[in-house]
């Protein structure tokens, strides 16, 4: 682990949903769970998490795969994708199924006495939806949600939720829990999920799309960071949590 990248973050572990993972905490104020993208908690993921801290929140950042603090590289990214593909807690190919890691994330969010925010990115982009089902998450953000892998029409539209969990998410959305989504408009990894979110959640889904400058644009708040996207996320957290 690169100590410099996570300097000032309190390191610990958390057990929930049958999993134990490293967790990093920092800040004060309402809680926000920041769930990293592939390949792990990189310097740019940490920089975004620090922006959330600086905006007045306590960030809880679990490490699900990879080496916390390590820089992005092609080999490192491929190794993390391979880990995700074989790990039972991530539903990478099946449709109509909720990744079991959301049980861990829901218990992590439940440690706060008040409603919390959550943002997932890339493979974790849809996890904030699964975190909605027990009522703790009041500000869910989906940044470039990419599971299950968008291979084929059905998978590209799937929301990584079981029918029962989707029904609960729709109930919460109908009751006023808005969901913020961000992506680059030509990002094939997101597939047709934004269409599904708009169909299932209606006006409760707030879609924010940015023009792709190149085909590899993917990570809205980290590697290909869009400052307006970061501001939209922070504003959403402030509106929903700083009451």
């Amino acid at each position: 682990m690169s100590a410099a990248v996570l300097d000032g973050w309190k390191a610990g572990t958390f057990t929930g949903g049958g999993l134990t993972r490293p967790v990093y905490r920092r800040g004060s104020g309402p809680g926000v769970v920041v769930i990293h993208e592939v390949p792990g908690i990189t310097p740019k993921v940490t920089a975004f998490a620090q922006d959330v801290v600086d905006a007045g929140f306590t960030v809880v950042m679990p490490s699900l795969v990879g080496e916390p603090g390590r820089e992005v590289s092609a080999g490192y990214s491929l190794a993390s994708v391979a880990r995700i593909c074989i790990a039972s807690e991530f539903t990478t190919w099946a449709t109509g199924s909720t990744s079991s890691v959301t049980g861990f994330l829901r218990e992590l969010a439940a440690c706060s006495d008040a409603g919390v925010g959550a943002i997932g990115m890339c493979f974790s982009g849809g996890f904030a939806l699964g975190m909605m089902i027990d009522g703790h998450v009041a500000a869910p953000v989906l940044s470039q949600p990419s599971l299950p892998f968008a291979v084929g029409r059905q998978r590209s539209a799937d929301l990584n939720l079981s029918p029962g969990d989707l029904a609960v998410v729709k109930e919460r959305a109908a009751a006023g829990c808005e969901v913020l989504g961000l992506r680059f408009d030509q990002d094939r990894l997101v597939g047709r999920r934004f269409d599904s979110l708009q169909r299932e959640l209606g006006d409760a889904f707030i879609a924010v799309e940015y023009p792709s400058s190149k085909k590899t644009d993917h990570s809205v708040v980290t590697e290909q960071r869009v400052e307006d996207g970061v501001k939209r996320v922070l504003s959403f957290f402030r509106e929903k949590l700083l009451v």
Side-chain angles (χ1 to χ4, degrees):
M1 182 185 76
S2 172
V5 170
L6 289 161
D7 185 40
W9 290 79
K10 182 179 179 180
T13 59
F14 182 80
T15 299
L19 301 174
T20 298
R21 292 288 184 273
V23 172
Y24 298 87
R25 299 174 184 266
R26 194 172 197 178
S28 59
V32 172
V33 180
V34 174
I35 316 164
H36 65 78
E37 60 197 350
V38 169
I41 299 177
T42 64
K44 290 187 178 180
V45 169
T46 307
F48 168 76
Q50 184 61 51
D51 289 337
V52 181
V53 170
D54 294 342
F57 300 95
T58 299
V59 168
V60 181
M61 188 164 51
S63 177
L64 303 181
V65 295
E67 302 173 27
R70 183 174 171 179
E71 289 276 2
V72 174
S73 69
Y76 179 31
S77 296
L78 287 172
S80 289
V81 170
R83 169 73 178 87
I84 291 165
C85 285
I86 64 174
S88 61
E89 61 264 32
F90 308 117
T91 303
T92 55
W93 295 105
T95 59
S97 178
T98 303
S99 288
S100 63
V101 71
T102 58
F104 168 87
L105 296 169
R106 288 197 301 270
E107 292 191 32
L108 185 61
C111 291
S112 175
D113 292 332
V116 303
I119 177 170
M121 318 170 194
C122 182
F123 82 99
S124 71
F127 292 170
L129 282 179
M131 294 172 70
M132 288 173 63
I133 66 174
D134 58 10
H136 292 289
V137 171
V141 179
L142 286 59
S143 192
Q144 74 269 5
S146 304
L147 284 189
F149 297 137
V151 179
R153 186 175 180 85
Q154 185 176 4
R155 287 195 188 94
S156 73
D158 191 82
L159 297 180
N160 201 213
L161 291 174
S162 68
D165 287 348
L166 176 58
V168 175
V169 167
K170 291 173 67 172
E171 288 175 3
R172 288 210 60 211
C177 184
E178 293 183 314
V179 177
L180 178 65
L182 305 99
R183 71 166 181 178
F184 287 105
D185 60 3
Q186 301 301 313
D187 187 352
R188 294 183 179 180
L189 297 178
V190 177
R192 298 169 50 244
R193 272 177 267 276
F194 271 39
D195 294 336
S196 298
L197 287 161
Q198 289 168 333
R199 181 183 66 251
E200 300 291 352
L201 305 185
D203 292 340
F205 178 59
I206 304 168
V208 179
E209 300 178 272
Y210 296 101
S212 300
S213 61
K214 52 186 181 296
K215 291 182 179 180
T216 55
D217 282 345
H218 177 61
S219 302
V220 177
V221 298
T222 56
E223 295 303 316
Q224 293 83 43
R225 177 173 168 133
V226 179
E227 291 300 331
D228 180 74
V230 174
K231 291 177 182 177
R232 292 290 295 266
V233 172
L234 297 180
S235 294
F236 187 71
F237 287 152
R238 291 189 189 100
E239 176 187 347
K240 304 300 182 182
L241 303 176
L242 293 179
V243 179

